[in-house]
């Protein structure tokens, strides 16, 4: 009986230690300037340094909203002119997946770049007629949101992953 209770006590202690190590992760931003953004004209890049992560596959999503500037191109002459009306505010997104093995002692830096907006703008709404082409030439970013997910259930997909950190930023014009 004594041997069974000793084995049971050791198993219970191991379970407690495993549970504590899983709960020990405390995701947060790392360093003096943990987030940096780069305005690439039509896309936005974010580089973020994290600490306190668990040893799980990780996904960083970047979503950015911008006021686009567009021009119109005459298909016959190739003439460029400013669009009569710029497209509505546009949201662009990007994601970067990091395997668990790249996280060292709970630390990792992740860089993500959004995809550019759809251009030419379908239907050329800001141009003299639909025969013209309306191209987005610049994005003035107004805000960004970074979400960080960790796959805590080892399912291999982030659908079951856990949102562990959200960072929201608002930019002054020009993007800064």
């Amino acid at each position: 009986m004594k041997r069974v209770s000793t084995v049971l006590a050791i198993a219970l202690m191991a379970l407690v230690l495993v549970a504590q190590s899983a709960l020990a992760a405390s995701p947060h931003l790392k360093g003096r300037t943990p987030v940096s953004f780069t305005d690439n004209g039509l896309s936005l890049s974010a580089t973020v340094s994290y600490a306190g992560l668990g040893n799980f596959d990780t996904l960083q999503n970047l979503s950015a909203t911008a006021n686009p500037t567009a021009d119109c191109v005459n298909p016959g002459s190739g003439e460029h002119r400013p669009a009569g009306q710029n497209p509505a505010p546009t949201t662009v997104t990007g994601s970067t997946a990091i395997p668990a093995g790249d996280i060292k002692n709970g630390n990792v830096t992740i860089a993500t770049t959004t995809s550019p907006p759809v251009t030419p703008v379908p239907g050329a709404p800001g141009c003299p007629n639909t025969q013209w082409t309306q191209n987005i030439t610049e994005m003035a970013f107004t805000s960004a949101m970074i979400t960080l997910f960790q796959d805590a259930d080892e399912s291999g997909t982030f659908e079951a992953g856990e949102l562990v950190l959200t960072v929201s930023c608002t930019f002054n014009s020009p993007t800064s």
Side-chain angles (χ1 to χ4, degrees):
M1 183 70 170
K2 185 176 181 182
R3 185 176 202 177
V4 171
S5 63
T6 302
V7 170
L8 191 57
I10 291 172
L12 183 60
M13 186 66 94
L15 181 63
V16 168
L17 290 174
V18 169
Q20 285 180 335
S21 67
L23 297 173
S26 177
H28 57 278
L29 300 176
K30 178 183 175 183
R32 292 180 144 204
T33 54
V35 182
S36 66
F37 292 96
T38 303
D39 183 338
N40 304 309
L42 295 178
S43 65
L44 184 70
S45 297
T47 302
V48 187
S49 293
Y50 299 101
L53 297 177
N55 190 27
F56 305 111
D57 290 342
T58 302
L59 180 71
Q60 176 174 282
N61 290 330
L62 171 61
S63 175
T65 302
N67 295 317
T69 301
D71 72 358
C72 295
V73 180
N74 182 325
S77 67
E79 167 194 4
H80 286 255
R81 73 165 71 149
Q85 179 179 353
N86 285 317
T90 302
T91 299
V92 291
T93 60
S95 297
T96 303
I98 301 295
D102 288 356
I103 298 172
K104 304 297 181 206
N105 296 321
N107 298 292
V108 70
T109 298
I110 305 173
T112 302
T113 300
T114 66
S115 297
V118 173
T119 191
V121 179
C127 297
N129 64 55
T130 58
Q131 299 304 310
W132 288 56
T133 302
Q134 185 175 8
N135 296 308
I136 296 176
T137 58
E138 179 68 32
M139 298 276 281
F141 291 96
T142 57
S143 64
M145 179 175 287
I146 299 165
T147 51
L148 188 71
F149 293 87
Q150 287 210 295
D151 185 10
D153 69 357
E154 299 181 22
S155 70
T157 67
F158 286 100
E159 295 168 7
E162 180 182 350
L163 175 64
V164 296
L165 192 64
T166 301
V167 178
S168 295
C169 300
T170 304
F171 304 114
N172 294 323
S173 187
T175 308
S176 63

